[in-house]
Amino acid sequence: MNPCPCGYYGDSLRSCSCPDGAVSRYQRRVSGPLMDRLDLFVDVPRVEFNELTGDTTGESSATVRARVIAARERQAFRLKDSPAITNSEMGPLEVRKYCQEPLVPAAQPLLATAMEQLGMSARAFHRVLKVARTIADLADSDPIETVHLAEAIQYRRRGAD
Amino acid sequence: MTNEDALSERGPAFVRTGALRGIEGLPIDVEVDIGSGLPAFNIVGLPDAAVQEARERVRAAIRNSGFEFPLRRITVNLAPADVRKEGPVYDLPIAVAVLVASGQVPNRFGRDVALFGELSLDGRLRHGAGVLPFVAMCLAQGIGTAIVPAEDLREASVVPGIRVLGMETLAQAALDPATWAVLDEATPRIASTVQGHDLAVVQGQEHVKRALEVAAAGGHNVMMQGPPGSGKTLLARAMPGLLAPLSPAEAIEVSRSTRWPVCSRATSRCSGSGRSALRTTPSRTPASSVGGRTSGRARSRWPTVWSSFSTSSRSSALPRLRRSASRSRRVRSPSPAHEGRYRSRRGSSSSPQ
């Protein structure tokens, strides 16, 4: 989605031309309960000229897909006795067993701080842990390290801008 | 021709088939009784117009397959009678039941065989939509053999653990079981065509690509926010290419919820070619009109399944949707965004056309 009706709210070059209140009205159209259910919230900023004309090409879909498939296999093995197929489908018991228990102790304070500062709900808490589990799976790691958790937390939508 | 006594002694004939209720297959018994009286051919058991028209196709197909259409009072009952039957796929079971009831074909269709297929006037079997839910239903009901049009064999054989036979004609389906083996089991071929853009075409935005990778790996949802032209749509289009291929079980469920595109025909709404089963996650791009579609008619033929598991659905302008539309994603509790599944009783009686 765009950040506002004109689309340029928060853009680095163009200024937003929306009237007062339009931005928050626009953002409010997506309800809080729906937002709370979003796992990964990412900003897609404008692409700079240098980046656009540079000859660096990123990874191809096939490369990324190979990692995705490997991560899915890890999940399939872990969840073979459960109805869930992917990490996102894990229930509370599985979250406890596969996300909270393998979380390294060093990551606990980070989780507590994030919970408080982002005003995360219980659902958001579970969702962050599941995303962290996926990130650890992509890194082929059984324990969930602090970096995995940190990446998952930064995908949470920060409160009202 | 057999005399009347012999006919009434034989009693009603019965063969099995299936109906679609929502996305689930439901076993249907086709009963045919041939009695004395003025020649008539009636179908009861909540048939829709296409099922009623089966009478004409069945009559012609039986005659043109070298059998005789009995000039008696024929009553076809599709049981259970309270489930709406839609579409032409009852042609074959009705025709076979008529042949069994009139003694032209020995009754060996007991409870262990189910038939499915539309007939053309010359007795050939045509493609029938919804073959996969049908075969999945047969498996669930413990039916050993499913008979489907040869054209649909490949799609049907995606379901493991059941003998699926493809038939070219009514005569073939109604003849000696010995001929059944000839057209036996084709190897299922599950297609995997990657659609959409390659991720490499998008310059920059590496952090977004990473988020998409995480989403694809764990089945999480993603929201991208940014100014116009920054690549959100392009990135979203690359998403199908990142997803792992569907397992056979997933492919079956997805194709059931999206109805028939498992084996896409050229005209199908799902990309991919040939009559092979779907291995690629279907993706939808709900436009602003989605409000109208999700709140569609009670018997909509294409209930929009936004967020069925394993499907990816993307919307470029969530706030622009009517509020009711975006809320309809989570109109039922627990919500699809939360549970990853869309539950709907809508379209509960519709079936493929």
Side-chain angles (χ1 to χ4, degrees):
Chain A
M1 63 179 235
N2 299 127
C4 67
C6 81
Y8 294 102
Y9 181 74
D11 187 53
S12 54
L13 289 181
R14 285 177 68 156
S15 59
C16 173
S17 61
C18 298
D20 284 352
V23 177
S24 64
R25 252 201 318 279
Y26 188 79
Q27 300 240 348
R28 267 206 313 274
R29 298 203 60 170
V30 182
S31 72
L34 183 60
M35 278 297 185
D36 192 52
R37 287 168 165 85
L38 293 174
D39 297 314
L40 308 166
F41 190 93
V42 277
D43 272 317
V44 187
R46 130 189 326 275
V47 187
E48 304 298 336
F49 178 80
N50 292 340
E51 213 168 9
L52 203 54
T53 48
D55 48 5
T56 49
T57 48
E59 290 176 306
S60 72
S61 288
T63 321
V64 178
R65 193 168 191 239
R67 286 199 301 268
V68 168
I69 291 171
R72 282 279 179 111
E73 277 164 7
R74 285 182 66 91
Q75 295 167 46
F77 178 74
R78 185 185 315 122
L79 300 169
K80 60 180 181 298
D81 297 325
S82 110
I85 293 172
T86 57
N87 286 341
S88 64
E89 291 166 30
M90 288 190 291
L93 287 176
E94 288 148 341
V95 169
R96 177 164 285 280
K97 190 167 165 198
Y98 302 126
C99 302
Q100 283 173 274
E101 284 170 18
L103 188 66
V104 295
Q108 293 291 349
L110 175 64
L111 191 57
T113 316
M115 209 46 211
E116 193 183 329
Q117 297 208 339
L118 295 177
M120 272 161 46
S121 65
R123 171 169 51 215
F125 172 78
H126 275 109
R127 288 185 166 252
V128 160
L129 284 172
K130 289 194 251 185
V131 172
R133 178 69 266 169
T134 302
I135 293 167
D137 283 338
L138 280 168
D140 207 18
S141 158
D142 274 328
I144 300 178
E145 307 282 349
T146 312
V147 283
H148 304 147
L149 181 68
E151 186 180 347
I153 289 171
Q154 57 111 19
Y155 289 129
R156 283 311 294 182
R157 184 169 192 245
R158 287 162 292 292
D161 299 300
Chain B
M1 198 171 161
T2 358
N3 68 43
E4 211 162 293
D5 288 344
L7 265 179
S8 51
E9 267 169 30
R10 197 172 286 118
F14 123 102
V15 298
R16 304 189 82 176
T17 182
L20 272 186
R21 188 160 68 180
I23 60 167
E24 300 292 330
L26 190 79
I28 298 289
D29 290 344
V30 179
E31 299 171 337
V32 171
D33 182 72
I34 301 187
S36 52
L38 284 175
F41 188 11
N42 293 314
I43 301 179
V44 298
L46 278 190
D48 77 343
V51 181
Q52 284 293 357
E53 287 174 351
R55 291 182 297 180
E56 304 306 323
R57 288 188 297 270
V58 165
R59 201 194 307 267
I62 286 184
R63 251 189 343 190
N64 292 329
S65 301
F67 298 104
E68 196 170 336
F69 190 81
L71 283 176
R72 286 167 180 280
R73 185 175 180 80
I74 305 172
T75 307
V76 178
N77 180 33
L78 306 175
D82 59 345
V83 177
R84 190 175 293 275
K85 324 294 184 306
E86 291 179 351
V89 295
Y90 300 97
D91 291 3
L92 176 65
I94 291 173
V96 168
V98 167
L99 291 174
V100 171
S102 61
Q104 299 180 74
V105 163
N107 188 0
R108 48 187 163 62
F109 291 93
R111 297 206 70 86
D112 199 40
V113 179
L115 300 101
F116 173 97
E118 176 183 340
L119 286 170
S120 74
L121 296 183
D122 60 1
R124 276 184 299 110
L125 276 168
R126 312 173 76 115
H127 159 78
V131 67
L132 196 68
F134 167 74
V135 177
M137 178 279 294
C138 291
L139 183 69
Q141 292 290 319
I143 296 170
T145 305
I147 295 180
V148 301
E151 216 178 325
D152 298 323
L153 181 60
R154 195 185 283 162
E155 173 171 354
S157 50
V158 171
V159 181
I162 179 168
R163 189 164 75 127
V164 183
L165 303 174
M167 297 291 169
E168 300 277 359
T169 63
L170 168 63
Q172 219 172 29
L175 268 181
D176 188 9
T179 60
W180 287 4
V182 179
L183 282 158
D184 215 341
E185 297 132 65
T187 15
R189 202 195 67 185
I190 298 190
S192 179
T193 43
V194 171
Q195 48 185 340
H197 297 286
D198 196 286
L199 210 53
V201 303
V202 185
Q203 299 274 359
Q205 311 292 22
E206 296 305 325
H207 66 292
V208 187
K209 293 178 189 174
R210 168 67 181 173
L212 294 182
E213 176 181 343
V214 173
H220 308 288
N221 55 44
V222 201
M223 166 74 93
M224 291 184 282
Q225 175 174 305
S230 56
K232 297 181 297 295
T233 307
L234 212 56
L235 286 157
R237 288 203 181 126
M239 191 68 184
L242 303 184
L243 288 163
L246 300 174
S247 70
E250 283 176 303
I252 289 168
E253 180 154 346
V254 168
S255 65
R256 273 160 55 158
S257 57
T258 54
R259 291 301 158 81
W260 21 104
V262 202
C263 283
S264 42
R265 315 179 75 184
T267 53
S268 146
R269 314 184 98 203
C270 193
S271 57
S273 58
R275 284 279 173 90
S276 51
L278 159 128
R279 240 8 245 287
T280 315
T281 307
S283 65
R284 294 255 168 105
T285 313
S288 310
S289 66
V290 74
R293 284 206 282 153
T294 46
S295 58
R297 293 175 300 140
R299 283 181 54 220
S300 153
R301 284 204 182 270
W302 293 95
T304 307
V305 178
W306 264 53
S307 182
S308 152
F309 98 115
S310 313
T311 67
S312 90
S313 106
R314 53 180 192 260
S315 175
S316 50
L318 201 48
R320 285 196 197 284
L321 299 179
R322 288 210 332 254
R323 194 167 171 112
S324 67
S326 67
R327 287 228 297 237
S328 70
R329 295 186 83 168
R330 52 183 197 88
V331 72
R332 295 208 172 29
S333 171
S335 74
H338 183 62
E339 200 175 63
R341 263 163 224 270
Y342 184 90
R343 291 181 175 176
S344 173
R345 297 303 297 171
R346 269 201 195 118
S348 60
S349 60
S350 71
S351 76
Q353 52 222 358

Coordinates of all heavy atoms in Angstrom, one line a residue, chain B residues 53-117:
Chain B
E53 N -30.9 -31.7 -18.6 CA -30.6 -31.9 -20.0 C -29.8 -33.2 -20.3 O -29.6 -33.6 -21.4 CB -29.7 -30.7 -20.5 CG -30.6 -29.5 -20.7 CD -29.8 -28.2 -21.1 OE1 -28.6 -28.3 -21.0 OE2 -30.5 -27.3 -21.4
A54 N -29.3 -33.8 -19.2 CA -28.6 -35.1 -19.3 C -29.5 -36.1 -20.0 O -29.0 -37.0 -20.7 CB -28.2 -35.6 -18.0
R55 N -30.8 -35.9 -19.8 CA -31.8 -36.9 -20.4 C -31.5 -37.0 -21.9 O -31.5 -38.0 -22.5 CB -33.2 -36.4 -20.1 CG -33.6 -36.5 -18.7 CD -35.0 -36.1 -18.4 NE -35.2 -34.7 -18.8 CZ -36.3 -34.1 -18.6 NH1 -37.4 -34.7 -18.2 NH2 -36.4 -32.8 -18.9
E56 N -31.4 -35.8 -22.6 CA -31.2 -35.8 -24.0 C -29.9 -36.4 -24.4 O -29.7 -37.2 -25.3 CB -31.3 -34.4 -24.6 CG -32.6 -33.7 -24.2 CD -33.9 -34.5 -24.6 OE1 -33.8 -35.2 -25.7 OE2 -34.8 -34.5 -23.8
R57 N -28.8 -36.0 -23.7 CA -27.5 -36.6 -24.0 C -27.4 -38.1 -23.7 O -26.9 -38.8 -24.5 CB -26.4 -35.9 -23.2 CG -26.1 -34.4 -23.6 CD -24.9 -33.8 -22.8 NE -25.2 -33.8 -21.4 CZ -25.7 -32.7 -20.8 NH1 -26.0 -31.6 -21.5 NH2 -25.9 -32.7 -19.5
V58 N -28.0 -38.5 -22.6 CA -28.0 -39.9 -22.3 C -28.7 -40.7 -23.3 O -28.3 -41.8 -23.8 CB -28.5 -40.1 -20.9 CG1 -28.8 -41.6 -20.6 CG2 -27.6 -39.6 -19.8
R59 N -29.9 -40.2 -23.7 CA -30.7 -40.9 -24.7 C -29.9 -41.2 -26.0 O -29.8 -42.3 -26.5 CB -32.0 -40.1 -25.0 CG -33.1 -41.0 -25.5 CD -34.2 -40.1 -26.1 NE -34.7 -39.0 -25.2 CZ -35.7 -39.2 -24.4 NH1 -36.4 -40.3 -24.4 NH2 -36.1 -38.2 -23.6
A60 N -29.3 -40.0 -26.5 CA -28.6 -40.1 -27.7 C -27.3 -41.0 -27.6 O -27.0 -41.8 -28.4 CB -28.2 -38.7 -28.2
A61 N -26.6 -40.8 -26.5 CA -25.4 -41.5 -26.3 C -25.6 -43.0 -26.2 O -24.8 -43.8 -26.7 CB -24.7 -41.0 -25.0
I62 N -26.7 -43.4 -25.5 CA -27.0 -44.8 -25.4 C -27.3 -45.4 -26.8 O -26.7 -46.5 -27.2 CB -28.1 -45.0 -24.4 CG1 -27.7 -44.8 -23.0 CG2 -28.7 -46.4 -24.6 CD1 -28.7 -45.1 -21.9
R63 N -28.1 -44.7 -27.5 CA -28.4 -45.2 -28.9 C -27.2 -45.3 -29.8 O -27.0 -46.2 -30.5 CB -29.5 -44.3 -29.5 CG -30.9 -45.0 -29.6 CD -31.8 -44.2 -30.4 NE -31.2 -43.0 -30.4 CZ -31.5 -41.8 -30.8 NH1 -32.4 -41.6 -31.2 NH2 -30.9 -40.7 -30.8
N64 N -26.4 -44.2 -29.7 CA -25.3 -44.2 -30.6 C -24.1 -45.0 -30.1 O -23.1 -45.1 -30.8 CB -24.8 -42.7 -30.8 CG -25.9 -41.9 -31.6 OD1 -26.6 -42.5 -32.4 ND2 -26.0 -40.7 -31.2
S65 N -24.2 -45.6 -29.0 CA -23.2 -46.5 -28.5 C -23.5 -48.0 -28.8 O -22.9 -48.9 -28.3 CB -22.9 -46.4 -27.0 OG -22.6 -45.0 -26.8
G66 N -24.6 -48.2 -29.6 CA -25.0 -49.6 -29.9 C -25.9 -50.2 -28.9 O -26.1 -51.4 -29.0
F67 N -26.4 -49.5 -28.0 CA -27.4 -50.0 -27.0 C -28.7 -49.5 -27.4 O -28.9 -48.8 -28.3 CB -27.0 -49.6 -25.6 CG -25.7 -50.0 -25.1 CD1 -24.6 -49.1 -25.0 CD2 -25.5 -51.3 -24.7 CE1 -23.4 -49.5 -24.5 CE2 -24.3 -51.8 -24.2 CZ -23.2 -50.9 -24.1
E68 N -29.7 -50.0 -26.6 CA -31.1 -49.6 -26.9 C -31.5 -48.8 -25.8 O -31.3 -49.1 -24.6 CB -31.9 -50.9 -27.0 CG -33.2 -50.6 -27.7 CD -33.9 -51.9 -28.0 OE1 -33.2 -53.0 -28.1 OE2 -35.2 -51.9 -28.1
F69 N -32.2 -47.7 -26.1 CA -32.8 -46.9 -25.0 C -34.1 -47.4 -24.7 O -35.0 -47.4 -25.5 CB -32.8 -45.4 -25.4 CG -33.2 -44.5 -24.2 CD1 -32.2 -44.1 -23.3 CD2 -34.5 -44.1 -24.0 CE1 -32.5 -43.3 -22.3 CE2 -34.8 -43.3 -22.9 CZ -33.8 -42.9 -22.1
P70 N -34.4 -47.9 -23.5 CA -35.7 -48.5 -23.2 C -36.8 -47.6 -23.2 O -36.8 -46.5 -22.6 CB -35.5 -49.0 -21.7 CG -34.3 -48.3 -21.2 CD -33.5 -47.9 -22.3
L71 N -37.8 -48.0 -24.0 CA -39.0 -47.1 -24.1 C -40.0 -47.5 -23.0 O -41.0 -48.1 -23.2 CB -39.7 -47.3 -25.5 CG -39.0 -46.6 -26.6 CD1 -39.6 -47.0 -28.0 CD2 -38.9 -45.1 -26.4
R72 N -39.7 -47.1 -21.8 CA -40.5 -47.4 -20.7 C -40.5 -46.2 -19.7 O -39.9 -45.1 -20.1 CB -39.9 -48.6 -19.9 CG -40.2 -49.9 -20.6 CD -39.4 -51.0 -20.1 NE -39.7 -52.2 -20.8 CZ -40.7 -52.9 -20.5 NH1 -41.6 -52.6 -19.6 NH2 -41.0 -54.0 -21.3
R73 N -41.0 -46.4 -18.6 CA -41.0 -45.3 -17.7 C -39.8 -45.3 -16.8 O -39.7 -46.2 -15.9 CB -42.3 -45.4 -16.8 CG -42.5 -44.2 -15.9 CD -43.8 -44.3 -15.1 NE -43.9 -43.1 -14.3 CZ -44.2 -41.9 -14.7 NH1 -44.6 -41.7 -16.0 NH2 -44.3 -40.9 -13.9
I74 N -38.9 -44.5 -17.1 CA -37.6 -44.5 -16.4 C -37.5 -43.4 -15.4 O -37.8 -42.2 -15.7 CB -36.4 -44.3 -17.4 CG1 -36.5 -45.3 -18.5 CG2 -35.1 -44.3 -16.7 CD1 -35.5 -45.1 -19.7
T75 N -37.2 -43.7 -14.2 CA -37.1 -42.7 -13.1 C -35.7 -42.8 -12.6 O -35.2 -43.8 -12.2 CB -38.1 -43.0 -12.0 OG1 -39.4 -43.1 -12.5 CG2 -38.0 -41.8 -11.0
V76 N -35.0 -41.6 -12.6 CA -33.6 -41.5 -12.1 C -33.7 -40.7 -10.8 O -34.3 -39.7 -10.8 CB -32.7 -40.8 -13.1 CG1 -31.3 -40.7 -12.5 CG2 -32.7 -41.6 -14.4
N77 N -33.1 -41.3 -9.8 CA -33.1 -40.6 -8.5 C -31.6 -40.3 -8.1 O -30.8 -41.3 -8.1 CB -33.8 -41.4 -7.4 CG -33.8 -40.6 -6.1 OD1 -33.8 -39.4 -6.1 ND2 -33.7 -41.4 -5.0
L78 N -31.3 -39.1 -7.8 CA -30.0 -38.8 -7.4 C -30.1 -38.6 -5.9 O -30.6 -37.6 -5.4 CB -29.5 -37.5 -8.1 CG -29.5 -37.5 -9.6 CD1 -29.1 -36.2 -10.2 CD2 -28.6 -38.6 -10.2
A79 N -29.5 -39.5 -5.2 CA -29.6 -39.5 -3.7 C -28.3 -39.1 -3.1 O -27.3 -39.5 -3.6 CB -30.1 -40.8 -3.2
P80 N -28.2 -38.4 -2.0 CA -29.3 -37.9 -1.2 C -30.1 -36.8 -1.9 O -29.4 -35.9 -2.6 CB -28.7 -37.4 0.1 CG -27.3 -37.1 -0.3 CD -26.9 -38.1 -1.3
A81 N -31.4 -36.7 -1.8 CA -32.2 -35.9 -2.6 C -32.2 -34.4 -2.2 O -32.7 -33.6 -2.8 CB -33.6 -36.4 -2.6
D82 N -31.5 -34.1 -1.0 CA -31.5 -32.7 -0.6 C -30.3 -32.0 -0.9 O -30.1 -30.8 -0.5 CB -31.8 -32.7 1.0 CG -30.7 -33.4 1.7 OD1 -29.9 -34.2 1.1 OD2 -30.5 -33.2 2.9
V83 N -29.4 -32.6 -1.7 CA -28.2 -31.9 -2.2 C -28.4 -31.5 -3.6 O -28.8 -32.3 -4.4 CB -27.0 -32.8 -2.0 CG1 -25.7 -32.1 -2.6 CG2 -26.7 -33.2 -0.6
R84 N -28.2 -30.2 -3.9 CA -28.3 -29.8 -5.3 C -27.3 -30.4 -6.2 O -26.1 -30.4 -5.9 CB -28.2 -28.2 -5.3 CG -28.6 -27.6 -6.6 CD -28.6 -26.1 -6.4 NE -29.6 -25.6 -5.5 CZ -30.8 -25.4 -5.8 NH1 -31.2 -25.5 -7.1 NH2 -31.7 -25.0 -5.0
K85 N -27.7 -30.9 -7.3 CA -26.8 -31.5 -8.3 C -26.7 -30.6 -9.4 O -27.6 -30.1 -10.0 CB -27.3 -32.9 -8.8 CG -28.1 -33.7 -7.8 CD -27.2 -34.2 -6.7 CE -27.9 -35.2 -5.7 NZ -29.2 -34.7 -5.2
E86 N -25.4 -30.3 -9.8 CA -25.2 -29.3 -10.8 C -24.2 -29.8 -11.8 O -23.4 -30.6 -11.5 CB -24.6 -28.0 -10.3 CG -25.6 -27.2 -9.4 CD -25.0 -25.9 -8.8 OE1 -23.8 -25.8 -9.0 OE2 -25.8 -25.2 -8.3
G87 N -24.4 -29.4 -13.1 CA -23.4 -29.7 -14.1 C -23.7 -31.0 -14.8 O -24.6 -31.8 -14.4
P88 N -23.0 -31.2 -15.9 CA -23.3 -32.3 -16.8 C -22.5 -33.6 -16.4 O -22.6 -34.6 -17.1 CB -22.8 -31.8 -18.1 CG -21.7 -30.9 -17.8 CD -22.0 -30.3 -16.4
V89 N -21.8 -33.7 -15.3 CA -21.0 -34.8 -15.0 C -21.8 -36.0 -14.5 O -21.2 -37.1 -14.3 CB -19.9 -34.5 -14.0 CG1 -18.9 -33.5 -14.6 CG2 -20.4 -34.0 -12.7
Y90 N -23.1 -35.9 -14.4 CA -23.9 -37.1 -14.0 C -24.3 -37.9 -15.2 O -24.9 -38.9 -15.1 CB -25.1 -36.6 -13.2 CG -24.8 -35.9 -12.0 CD1 -24.8 -34.5 -12.0 CD2 -24.4 -36.5 -10.8 CE1 -24.4 -33.8 -10.8 CE2 -24.0 -35.9 -9.7 CZ -24.0 -34.5 -9.7 OH -23.6 -33.8 -8.6
D91 N -24.0 -37.4 -16.4 CA -24.4 -38.1 -17.7 C -23.9 -39.6 -17.6 O -24.7 -40.5 -17.9 CB -23.7 -37.5 -18.9 CG -24.3 -36.1 -19.2 OD1 -25.1 -35.6 -18.4 OD2 -23.9 -35.5 -20.2
L92 N -22.7 -39.8 -17.4 CA -22.1 -41.2 -17.4 C -22.8 -42.1 -16.4 O -23.3 -43.1 -16.8 CB -20.6 -41.2 -17.3 CG -20.0 -42.5 -17.3 CD1 -20.2 -43.2 -18.6 CD2 -18.5 -42.4 -17.0
P93 N -22.8 -41.7 -15.1 CA -23.5 -42.6 -14.2 C -24.9 -42.8 -14.5 O -25.4 -44.0 -14.3 CB -23.3 -41.9 -12.8 CG -22.8 -40.5 -13.1 CD -22.1 -40.6 -14.4
I94 N -25.6 -41.8 -15.0 CA -27.0 -42.0 -15.3 C -27.1 -43.0 -16.5 O -27.9 -44.0 -16.4 CB -27.7 -40.7 -15.7 CG1 -27.8 -39.8 -14.4 CG2 -29.1 -40.9 -16.3 CD1 -28.4 -38.4 -14.7
A95 N -26.3 -42.8 -17.5 CA -26.4 -43.7 -18.7 C -26.1 -45.1 -18.3 O -26.8 -46.1 -18.7 CB -25.4 -43.2 -19.7
V96 N -25.0 -45.3 -17.5 CA -24.7 -46.7 -17.1 C -25.8 -47.3 -16.2 O -26.1 -48.5 -16.4 CB -23.3 -46.7 -16.3 CG1 -23.1 -48.0 -15.6 CG2 -22.2 -46.3 -17.3
A97 N -26.4 -46.5 -15.3 CA -27.4 -47.0 -14.5 C -28.6 -47.4 -15.3 O -29.3 -48.4 -15.0 CB -27.8 -46.0 -13.4
V98 N -28.9 -46.7 -16.3 CA -30.0 -47.0 -17.2 C -29.7 -48.3 -17.9 O -30.6 -49.2 -18.0 CB -30.3 -45.9 -18.3 CG1 -31.2 -46.4 -19.4 CG2 -30.9 -44.7 -17.6
L99 N -28.5 -48.5 -18.4 CA -28.1 -49.7 -19.1 C -28.2 -50.9 -18.1 O -28.6 -52.0 -18.5 CB -26.7 -49.6 -19.6 CG -26.5 -48.6 -20.8 CD1 -25.1 -48.5 -21.2 CD2 -27.4 -49.1 -22.0
V100 N -27.8 -50.7 -16.9 CA -27.8 -51.8 -15.9 C -29.3 -52.1 -15.6 O -29.7 -53.3 -15.6 CB -27.1 -51.4 -14.6 CG1 -27.3 -52.4 -13.5 CG2 -25.6 -51.3 -14.9
A101 N -30.1 -51.1 -15.4 CA -31.5 -51.3 -15.1 C -32.2 -52.1 -16.2 O -33.1 -52.9 -15.9 CB -32.2 -50.0 -14.8
S102 N -31.8 -51.8 -17.4 CA -32.5 -52.5 -18.5 C -31.9 -53.8 -18.9 O -32.2 -54.4 -19.9 CB -32.6 -51.5 -19.7 OG -31.2 -51.2 -20.1
G103 N -30.9 -54.2 -18.1 CA -30.3 -55.5 -18.3 C -29.4 -55.6 -19.5 O -29.0 -56.7 -19.9
Q104 N -29.0 -54.5 -20.0 CA -28.1 -54.6 -21.2 C -26.6 -54.7 -20.8 O -25.7 -55.0 -21.6 CB -28.3 -53.3 -22.1 CG -29.7 -53.2 -22.6 CD -29.8 -52.0 -23.5 OE1 -29.3 -51.9 -24.6 NE2 -30.5 -51.0 -22.9
V105 N -26.4 -54.3 -19.5 CA -25.0 -54.4 -19.0 C -25.1 -55.1 -17.6 O -26.0 -54.8 -16.8 CB -24.5 -53.0 -18.8 CG1 -23.3 -53.0 -17.9 CG2 -24.1 -52.3 -20.1
P106 N -24.3 -56.1 -17.4 CA -24.4 -56.8 -16.1 C -24.0 -55.9 -15.0 O -23.2 -55.0 -15.2 CB -23.3 -57.9 -16.2 CG -22.4 -57.5 -17.3 CD -23.2 -56.7 -18.3
N107 N -24.6 -56.1 -13.9 CA -24.4 -55.1 -12.8 C -23.1 -55.5 -12.0 O -23.1 -56.4 -11.1 CB -25.6 -55.1 -11.8 CG -25.4 -54.0 -10.8 OD1 -24.4 -53.3 -10.8 ND2 -26.4 -53.8 -9.9
R108 N -22.1 -54.9 -12.3 CA -20.9 -55.1 -11.5 C -20.3 -53.8 -11.1 O -19.1 -53.6 -10.9 CB -19.8 -55.8 -12.4 CG -19.7 -55.2 -13.7 CD -18.9 -55.9 -14.7 NE -19.1 -55.4 -16.0 CZ -18.9 -54.2 -16.3 NH1 -18.4 -53.3 -15.5 NH2 -19.2 -53.8 -17.6
F109 N -21.2 -52.8 -10.9 CA -20.8 -51.5 -10.5 C -21.0 -51.3 -9.0 O -20.9 -50.2 -8.6 CB -21.5 -50.4 -11.3 CG -21.1 -50.3 -12.7 CD1 -21.8 -51.0 -13.7 CD2 -19.9 -49.7 -13.1 CE1 -21.4 -51.0 -15.0 CE2 -19.5 -49.6 -14.4 CZ -20.3 -50.3 -15.4
G110 N -21.3 -52.3 -8.3 CA -21.5 -52.3 -6.8 C -21.1 -51.0 -6.1 O -21.1 -49.9 -6.7
R111 N -20.7 -51.1 -4.9 CA -20.4 -49.9 -4.1 C -18.9 -49.6 -4.3 O -18.5 -48.6 -3.7 CB -20.7 -50.2 -2.6 CG -22.1 -50.5 -2.3 CD -22.5 -50.1 -0.9 NE -22.5 -48.7 -0.7 CZ -23.5 -47.9 -0.9 NH1 -24.6 -48.4 -1.4 NH2 -23.4 -46.6 -0.7
D112 N -18.2 -50.4 -5.1 CA -16.8 -50.2 -5.1 C -16.3 -49.4 -6.3 O -15.1 -49.1 -6.5 CB -16.1 -51.5 -5.1 CG -14.6 -51.4 -4.6 OD1 -14.4 -50.5 -3.7 OD2 -13.7 -52.0 -5.2
V113 N -17.3 -49.0 -7.2 CA -16.9 -48.2 -8.4 C -17.7 -46.9 -8.4 O -18.9 -46.9 -8.0 CB -17.2 -49.0 -9.6 CG1 -16.9 -48.2 -10.9 CG2 -16.5 -50.3 -9.6
A114 N -17.1 -45.8 -8.7 CA -17.8 -44.6 -8.9 C -17.5 -44.0 -10.3 O -16.4 -44.2 -10.8 CB -17.5 -43.6 -7.8
L115 N -18.5 -43.4 -10.9 CA -18.4 -42.9 -12.3 C -18.6 -41.4 -12.3 O -19.3 -40.9 -11.5 CB -19.3 -43.6 -13.3 CG -19.2 -45.1 -13.4 CD1 -20.3 -45.7 -12.6 CD2 -19.3 -45.5 -14.8
F116 N -18.0 -40.8 -13.3 CA -18.0 -39.4 -13.4 C -17.8 -39.0 -14.9 O -16.9 -39.5 -15.5 CB -16.9 -38.8 -12.6 CG -16.6 -37.4 -12.6 CD1 -17.1 -36.5 -11.7 CD2 -15.8 -36.8 -13.6 CE1 -16.9 -35.1 -11.7 CE2 -15.6 -35.5 -13.7 CZ -16.1 -34.6 -12.7
G117 N -18.6 -38.1 -15.5 CA -18.3 -37.7 -16.8 C -19.5 -37.2 -17.6 O -20.6 -37.6 -17.4

